[in-house]
Amino acid sequence: MQRKEIAGLGIGKLITGAVVVALALCATIFYLFYTGRFGGGSKLKITAPARLGYEWSHLAADNNIVSDYLFSRSKKLIVAKGGDGVLAASSYTIAGRLVTQEAEDSGVYGLSDQALLLKCYVRAGDRANAVTLKENVISRYKLADGTYRTYVYSEGTTGEEIVLMSAMIDWLDAMTEYYVTYGNDNDYNEITALTAVLFDSEGNLRTESVSVAKYAESLYVGLDDTSSIGEDDEGSLEQIYGTITGDTESADIENSETEENVEGVLLSNINLRLIRDLENNGLIPAGAYDRALKAVKDGFASSDHPFYAYATSGAMDCGDYIYSGRNIGSVDIAHNVRTMMHLAEVGELDGMAFAEFKEMVMNSGRIYSEFVFMTGNYSGAEAVGAYTDGMMLAYYRGDTDLYNKLSDTLGKRVATKSTSPALYMIFREENDRYVFYAGENFATRLATS
């Protein structure tokens, strides 16, 4: 009798085990069909996204930046209220003190902002929102020639049809991260198509038309002048649009300067980690990463002035560099920080450049917009958009002191009023109103989690 019971128990376990295995197999097959990978779909191996962990998140939280709360509020304000429920508005202004100052969104949806949001969804494990956002971006931003619009607009809002390399690179970067987690073969085809748009047959980033200020004797001096932005101005949406569309009128521009459009490549667009991943997966030719790395490193000014160039005045590997997008004889710091971040991510940042940046931040607590060669001083408006790049730069270098200092400065612009609809979010004060930018808040989320 006892043997029969034991035998029966053994058979029961076998049956239960078989059911579990069958269910797991069915789930696997369903997943493969669902993601479009049944039958040997294409695979990508990419560098694991940065996961900062407790130590770094704790430093940010000590400076008022609570990553989970910030992201939760950002979705409610910038996507649900300020956007269209799927796309994120580039900015959202909360209601002011006066009854006539109603809350308002920009009516503009930037591609780079959607790229940051997609990364946030993927890293949060939010598949449903990630898929919906990805599909909306492809259907609403993609043009017939395979390029992507930099902006789309809400009903009643108009703007120029702009295509920028920087925005498309941001989207390609986000798509590769999305694909390895949730993507299907259609997404893989989107990645290969966009890669072909951005890179030439040798794997070099394609040039784009950039506005260059120059002396009459043809000395290139800068791109997209923004010197009209005041010392204390943190940059309004209108000013940003003025820069993008080539509005370079400024009282500070000398009569000896003229303007022209040239073909060039912004060094801050050379995302080395992304280029390395594309090469390793055979999406661009072998040697592309080494050429890109050389192009960036060759843009290093000197040991006396340890900064990287703003752009090339020609092909990526031409060797002719422009050091400022602002004024004659200066360095554009915001783009310099982005370039340094890309270098640090692959372990190739010059130590002198990092030391110079850290000294500026630790001494002043700020990231200035430019460095002037003639005076040897930092000047201009605060480069408020560069703090998250600086935080990631500090993370890649393992420098908690610098990360903490940058968090402290950024944390001073966190909404802390308990009744505010934007509690925990990063704001900018413009014209006595509180404005919340999608890019800044989503980038802060990524830099603190």
PDB file of all heavy atoms in Angstrom, residues 300-308 331 350 352-353 356 359 371-378:
ATOM      1  N   PHE A 300      40.939  67.995 -30.006  1.00  0.00           N
ATOM      2  CA  PHE A 300      41.422  68.511 -28.718  1.00  0.00           C
ATOM      3  C   PHE A 300      42.333  69.708 -28.987  1.00  0.00           C
ATOM      4  O   PHE A 300      43.270  69.625 -29.789  1.00  0.00           O
ATOM      5  CB  PHE A 300      42.185  67.400 -27.992  1.00  0.00           C
ATOM      6  CG  PHE A 300      42.625  67.756 -26.605  1.00  0.00           C
ATOM      7  CD1 PHE A 300      41.706  67.883 -25.580  1.00  0.00           C
ATOM      8  CD2 PHE A 300      43.965  67.970 -26.310  1.00  0.00           C
ATOM      9  CE1 PHE A 300      42.105  68.192 -24.287  1.00  0.00           C
ATOM     10  CE2 PHE A 300      44.376  68.280 -25.035  1.00  0.00           C
ATOM     11  CZ  PHE A 300      43.441  68.398 -24.018  1.00  0.00           C
ATOM     12  N   ALA A 301      42.060  70.824 -28.317  1.00  0.00           N
ATOM     13  CA  ALA A 301      42.773  72.065 -28.632  1.00  0.00           C
ATOM     14  C   ALA A 301      44.247  71.977 -28.263  1.00  0.00           C
ATOM     15  O   ALA A 301      45.123  71.987 -29.130  1.00  0.00           O
ATOM     16  CB  ALA A 301      42.110  73.249 -27.924  1.00  0.00           C
ATOM     17  N   SER A 302      44.552  71.907 -26.977  1.00  0.00           N
ATOM     18  CA  SER A 302      45.943  71.838 -26.539  1.00  0.00           C
ATOM     19  C   SER A 302      45.976  71.610 -25.041  1.00  0.00           C
ATOM     20  O   SER A 302      44.947  71.715 -24.353  1.00  0.00           O
ATOM     21  CB  SER A 302      46.693  73.132 -26.876  1.00  0.00           C
ATOM     22  OG  SER A 302      46.213  74.208 -26.068  1.00  0.00           O
ATOM     23  N   SER A 303      47.168  71.332 -24.519  1.00  0.00           N
ATOM     24  CA  SER A 303      47.299  71.152 -23.076  1.00  0.00           C
ATOM     25  C   SER A 303      47.049  72.467 -22.334  1.00  0.00           C
ATOM     26  O   SER A 303      46.625  72.459 -21.176  1.00  0.00           O
ATOM     27  CB  SER A 303      48.691  70.609 -22.736  1.00  0.00           C
ATOM     28  OG  SER A 303      49.702  71.487 -23.226  1.00  0.00           O
ATOM     29  N   ASP A 304      47.328  73.602 -22.982  1.00  0.00           N
ATOM     30  CA  ASP A 304      47.057  74.899 -22.365  1.00  0.00           C
ATOM     31  C   ASP A 304      45.567  75.226 -22.369  1.00  0.00           C
ATOM     32  O   ASP A 304      45.083  75.953 -21.497  1.00  0.00           O
ATOM     33  CB  ASP A 304      47.818  76.003 -23.103  1.00  0.00           C
ATOM     34  CG  ASP A 304      49.322  75.893 -22.920  1.00  0.00           C
ATOM     35  OD1 ASP A 304      49.752  75.383 -21.863  1.00  0.00           O
ATOM     36  OD2 ASP A 304      50.060  76.291 -23.838  1.00  0.00           O
ATOM     37  N   HIS A 305      44.871  74.721 -23.365  1.00  0.00           N
ATOM     38  CA  HIS A 305      43.425  74.934 -23.478  1.00  0.00           C
ATOM     39  C   HIS A 305      42.774  73.572 -23.714  1.00  0.00           C
ATOM     40  O   HIS A 305      42.452  73.212 -24.852  1.00  0.00           O
ATOM     41  CB  HIS A 305      43.097  75.898 -24.616  1.00  0.00           C
ATOM     42  CG  HIS A 305      43.703  77.243 -24.454  1.00  0.00           C
ATOM     43  ND1 HIS A 305      44.821  77.644 -25.143  1.00  0.00           N
ATOM     44  CD2 HIS A 305      43.356  78.294 -23.647  1.00  0.00           C
ATOM     45  CE1 HIS A 305      45.132  78.889 -24.791  1.00  0.00           C
ATOM     46  NE2 HIS A 305      44.268  79.297 -23.890  1.00  0.00           N
ATOM     47  N   PRO A 306      42.561  72.801 -22.642  1.00  0.00           N
ATOM     48  CA  PRO A 306      42.105  71.409 -22.778  1.00  0.00           C
ATOM     49  C   PRO A 306      40.608  71.287 -23.058  1.00  0.00           C
ATOM     50  O   PRO A 306      39.826  70.852 -22.208  1.00  0.00           O
ATOM     51  CB  PRO A 306      42.479  70.805 -21.422  1.00  0.00           C
ATOM     52  CG  PRO A 306      42.410  71.954 -20.470  1.00  0.00           C
ATOM     53  CD  PRO A 306      42.841  73.165 -21.246  1.00  0.00           C
ATOM     54  N   PHE A 307      40.232  71.686 -24.252  1.00  0.00           N
ATOM     55  CA  PHE A 307      38.841  71.618 -24.679  1.00  0.00           C
ATOM     56  C   PHE A 307      38.767  70.919 -26.032  1.00  0.00           C
ATOM     57  O   PHE A 307      39.742  70.892 -26.787  1.00  0.00           O
ATOM     58  CB  PHE A 307      38.245  73.020 -24.806  1.00  0.00           C
ATOM     59  CG  PHE A 307      38.328  73.845 -23.562  1.00  0.00           C
ATOM     60  CD1 PHE A 307      39.334  74.779 -23.402  1.00  0.00           C
ATOM     61  CD2 PHE A 307      37.409  73.671 -22.544  1.00  0.00           C
ATOM     62  CE1 PHE A 307      39.422  75.542 -22.254  1.00  0.00           C
ATOM     63  CE2 PHE A 307      37.488  74.427 -21.380  1.00  0.00           C
ATOM     64  CZ  PHE A 307      38.497  75.368 -21.231  1.00  0.00           C
ATOM     65  N   TYR A 308      37.594  70.402 -26.331  1.00  0.00           N
ATOM     66  CA  TYR A 308      37.359  69.760 -27.620  1.00  0.00           C
ATOM     67  C   TYR A 308      36.587  70.699 -28.539  1.00  0.00           C
ATOM     68  O   TYR A 308      35.813  71.558 -28.088  1.00  0.00           O
ATOM     69  CB  TYR A 308      36.586  68.454 -27.432  1.00  0.00           C
ATOM     70  CG  TYR A 308      37.404  67.393 -26.734  1.00  0.00           C
ATOM     71  CD1 TYR A 308      37.359  67.263 -25.346  1.00  0.00           C
ATOM     72  CD2 TYR A 308      38.233  66.537 -27.452  1.00  0.00           C
ATOM     73  CE1 TYR A 308      38.120  66.301 -24.696  1.00  0.00           C
ATOM     74  CE2 TYR A 308      38.999  65.568 -26.810  1.00  0.00           C
ATOM     75  CZ  TYR A 308      38.940  65.460 -25.432  1.00  0.00           C
ATOM     76  OH  TYR A 308      39.707  64.511 -24.784  1.00  0.00           O
ATOM     77  N   VAL A 331      35.176  78.765 -26.671  1.00  0.00           N
ATOM     78  CA  VAL A 331      34.783  77.360 -26.739  1.00  0.00           C
ATOM     79  C   VAL A 331      33.343  77.235 -26.273  1.00  0.00           C
ATOM     80  O   VAL A 331      32.966  77.822 -25.249  1.00  0.00           O
ATOM     81  CB  VAL A 331      35.685  76.486 -25.841  1.00  0.00           C
ATOM     82  CG1 VAL A 331      35.185  75.040 -25.804  1.00  0.00           C
ATOM     83  CG2 VAL A 331      37.122  76.528 -26.324  1.00  0.00           C
ATOM     84  N   ASP A 350      40.473  62.622 -22.268  1.00  0.00           N
ATOM     85  CA  ASP A 350      41.747  63.177 -21.823  1.00  0.00           C
ATOM     86  C   ASP A 350      41.629  63.657 -20.377  1.00  0.00           C
ATOM     87  O   ASP A 350      40.681  64.367 -20.018  1.00  0.00           O
ATOM     88  CB  ASP A 350      42.140  64.341 -22.738  1.00  0.00           C
ATOM     89  CG  ASP A 350      43.505  64.913 -22.386  1.00  0.00           C
ATOM     90  OD1 ASP A 350      43.562  65.791 -21.499  1.00  0.00           O
ATOM     91  OD2 ASP A 350      44.488  64.466 -22.978  1.00  0.00           O
ATOM     92  N   MET A 352      43.335  65.869 -18.728  1.00  0.00           N
ATOM     93  CA  MET A 352      43.423  67.325 -18.552  1.00  0.00           C
ATOM     94  C   MET A 352      42.077  67.987 -18.813  1.00  0.00           C
ATOM     95  O   MET A 352      41.699  68.951 -18.130  1.00  0.00           O
ATOM     96  CB  MET A 352      44.497  67.902 -19.476  1.00  0.00           C
ATOM     97  CG  MET A 352      45.912  67.544 -19.078  1.00  0.00           C
ATOM     98  SD  MET A 352      47.152  68.359 -20.119  1.00  0.00           S
ATOM     99  CE  MET A 352      46.858  67.515 -21.677  1.00  0.00           C
ATOM    100  N   ALA A 353      41.351  67.489 -19.811  1.00  0.00           N
ATOM    101  CA  ALA A 353      40.039  68.048 -20.115  1.00  0.00           C
ATOM    102  C   ALA A 353      39.080  67.836 -18.947  1.00  0.00           C
ATOM    103  O   ALA A 353      38.329  68.735 -18.561  1.00  0.00           O
ATOM    104  CB  ALA A 353      39.478  67.421 -21.390  1.00  0.00           C
ATOM    105  N   GLU A 356      39.999  70.155 -16.022  1.00  0.00           N
ATOM    106  CA  GLU A 356      39.571  71.532 -16.279  1.00  0.00           C
ATOM    107  C   GLU A 356      38.086  71.698 -16.003  1.00  0.00           C
ATOM    108  O   GLU A 356      37.658  72.656 -15.357  1.00  0.00           O
ATOM    109  CB  GLU A 356      39.882  71.907 -17.726  1.00  0.00           C
ATOM    110  CG  GLU A 356      39.391  73.276 -18.154  1.00  0.00           C
ATOM    111  CD  GLU A 356      40.169  74.424 -17.531  1.00  0.00           C
ATOM    112  OE1 GLU A 356      41.340  74.208 -17.138  1.00  0.00           O
ATOM    113  OE2 GLU A 356      39.614  75.537 -17.438  1.00  0.00           O
ATOM    114  N   GLU A 359      37.373  71.429 -12.207  1.00  0.00           N
ATOM    115  CA  GLU A 359      37.790  72.635 -11.491  1.00  0.00           C
ATOM    116  C   GLU A 359      36.768  73.757 -11.652  1.00  0.00           C
ATOM    117  O   GLU A 359      36.436  74.450 -10.687  1.00  0.00           O
ATOM    118  CB  GLU A 359      39.159  73.101 -11.992  1.00  0.00           C
ATOM    119  CG  GLU A 359      39.701  74.319 -11.245  1.00  0.00           C
ATOM    120  CD  GLU A 359      41.058  74.755 -11.744  1.00  0.00           C
ATOM    121  OE1 GLU A 359      41.541  74.208 -12.758  1.00  0.00           O
ATOM    122  OE2 GLU A 359      41.661  75.648 -11.124  1.00  0.00           O
ATOM    123  N   PHE A 371      34.045  79.449 -22.825  1.00  0.00           N
ATOM    124  CA  PHE A 371      35.359  79.806 -22.324  1.00  0.00           C
ATOM    125  C   PHE A 371      36.016  80.693 -23.371  1.00  0.00           C
ATOM    126  O   PHE A 371      36.049  80.356 -24.560  1.00  0.00           O
ATOM    127  CB  PHE A 371      36.217  78.560 -22.099  1.00  0.00           C
ATOM    128  CG  PHE A 371      37.631  78.859 -21.677  1.00  0.00           C
ATOM    129  CD1 PHE A 371      37.941  79.062 -20.342  1.00  0.00           C
ATOM    130  CD2 PHE A 371      38.647  78.948 -22.614  1.00  0.00           C
ATOM    131  CE1 PHE A 371      39.239  79.339 -19.940  1.00  0.00           C
ATOM    132  CE2 PHE A 371      39.957  79.223 -22.233  1.00  0.00           C
ATOM    133  CZ  PHE A 371      40.253  79.425 -20.891  1.00  0.00           C
ATOM    134  N   VAL A 372      36.545  81.859 -22.938  1.00  0.00           N
ATOM    135  CA  VAL A 372      37.136  82.826 -23.859  1.00  0.00           C
ATOM    136  C   VAL A 372      38.646  82.681 -23.827  1.00  0.00           C
ATOM    137  O   VAL A 372      39.281  82.840 -22.789  1.00  0.00           O
ATOM    138  CB  VAL A 372      36.723  84.265 -23.483  1.00  0.00           C
ATOM    139  CG1 VAL A 372      37.321  85.258 -24.476  1.00  0.00           C
ATOM    140  CG2 VAL A 372      35.204  84.390 -23.451  1.00  0.00           C
ATOM    141  N   PHE A 373      39.243  82.370 -24.975  1.00  0.00           N
ATOM    142  CA  PHE A 373      40.685  82.140 -25.039  1.00  0.00           C
ATOM    143  C   PHE A 373      41.472  83.387 -24.633  1.00  0.00           C
ATOM    144  O   PHE A 373      42.471  83.301 -23.921  1.00  0.00           O
ATOM    145  CB  PHE A 373      41.092  81.732 -26.456  1.00  0.00           C
ATOM    146  CG  PHE A 373      40.687  80.328 -26.816  1.00  0.00           C
ATOM    147  CD1 PHE A 373      39.858  80.085 -27.898  1.00  0.00           C
ATOM    148  CD2 PHE A 373      41.138  79.255 -26.082  1.00  0.00           C
ATOM    149  CE1 PHE A 373      39.498  78.800 -28.239  1.00  0.00           C
ATOM    150  CE2 PHE A 373      40.784  77.956 -26.415  1.00  0.00           C
ATOM    151  CZ  PHE A 373      39.948  77.730 -27.497  1.00  0.00           C
ATOM    152  N   MET A 374      41.047  84.560 -25.080  1.00  0.00           N
ATOM    153  CA  MET A 374      41.812  85.776 -24.855  1.00  0.00           C
ATOM    154  C   MET A 374      41.924  86.116 -23.379  1.00  0.00           C
ATOM    155  O   MET A 374      42.996  86.487 -22.886  1.00  0.00           O
ATOM    156  CB  MET A 374      41.194  86.954 -25.619  1.00  0.00           C
ATOM    157  CG  MET A 374      41.991  88.252 -25.504  1.00  0.00           C
ATOM    158  SD  MET A 374      41.314  89.559 -26.541  1.00  0.00           S
ATOM    159  CE  MET A 374      41.647  88.883 -28.178  1.00  0.00           C
ATOM    160  N   THR A 375      40.821  85.963 -22.641  1.00  0.00           N
ATOM    161  CA  THR A 375      40.838  86.322 -21.216  1.00  0.00           C
ATOM    162  C   THR A 375      41.170  85.138 -20.317  1.00  0.00           C
ATOM    163  O   THR A 375      41.549  85.318 -19.157  1.00  0.00           O
ATOM    164  CB  THR A 375      39.465  86.876 -20.795  1.00  0.00           C
ATOM    165  OG1 THR A 375      38.475  85.842 -20.940  1.00  0.00           O
ATOM    166  CG2 THR A 375      39.085  88.078 -21.645  1.00  0.00           C
ATOM    167  N   GLY A 376      40.980  83.930 -20.840  1.00  0.00           N
ATOM    168  CA  GLY A 376      41.198  82.747 -20.018  1.00  0.00           C
ATOM    169  C   GLY A 376      40.119  82.549 -18.976  1.00  0.00           C
ATOM    170  O   GLY A 376      40.339  81.853 -17.974  1.00  0.00           O
ATOM    171  N   ASN A 377      38.937  83.134 -19.209  1.00  0.00           N
ATOM    172  CA  ASN A 377      37.843  83.065 -18.245  1.00  0.00           C
ATOM    173  C   ASN A 377      36.614  82.398 -18.851  1.00  0.00           C
ATOM    174  O   ASN A 377      36.403  82.428 -20.066  1.00  0.00           O
ATOM    175  CB  ASN A 377      37.458  84.470 -17.773  1.00  0.00           C
ATOM    176  CG  ASN A 377      38.566  85.146 -17.002  1.00  0.00           C
ATOM    177  OD1 ASN A 377      39.289  84.496 -16.237  1.00  0.00           O
ATOM    178  ND2 ASN A 377      38.719  86.446 -17.197  1.00  0.00           N
ATOM    179  N   TYR A 378      35.781  81.854 -17.965  1.00  0.00           N
ATOM    180  CA  TYR A 378      34.466  81.359 -18.372  1.00  0.00           C
ATOM    181  C   TYR A 378      33.490  82.520 -18.321  1.00  0.00           C
ATOM    182  O   TYR A 378      33.588  83.409 -17.456  1.00  0.00           O
ATOM    183  CB  TYR A 378      33.990  80.247 -17.439  1.00  0.00           C
ATOM    184  CG  TYR A 378      34.792  78.989 -17.563  1.00  0.00           C
ATOM    185  CD1 TYR A 378      35.878  78.749 -16.713  1.00  0.00           C
ATOM    186  CD2 TYR A 378      34.497  78.047 -18.539  1.00  0.00           C
ATOM    187  CE1 TYR A 378      36.632  77.591 -16.832  1.00  0.00           C
ATOM    188  CE2 TYR A 378      35.249  76.884 -18.667  1.00  0.00           C
ATOM    189  CZ  TYR A 378      36.312  76.666 -17.816  1.00  0.00           C
ATOM    190  OH  TYR A 378      37.061  75.527 -17.937  1.00  0.00           O
TER     191      TYR A 378
END
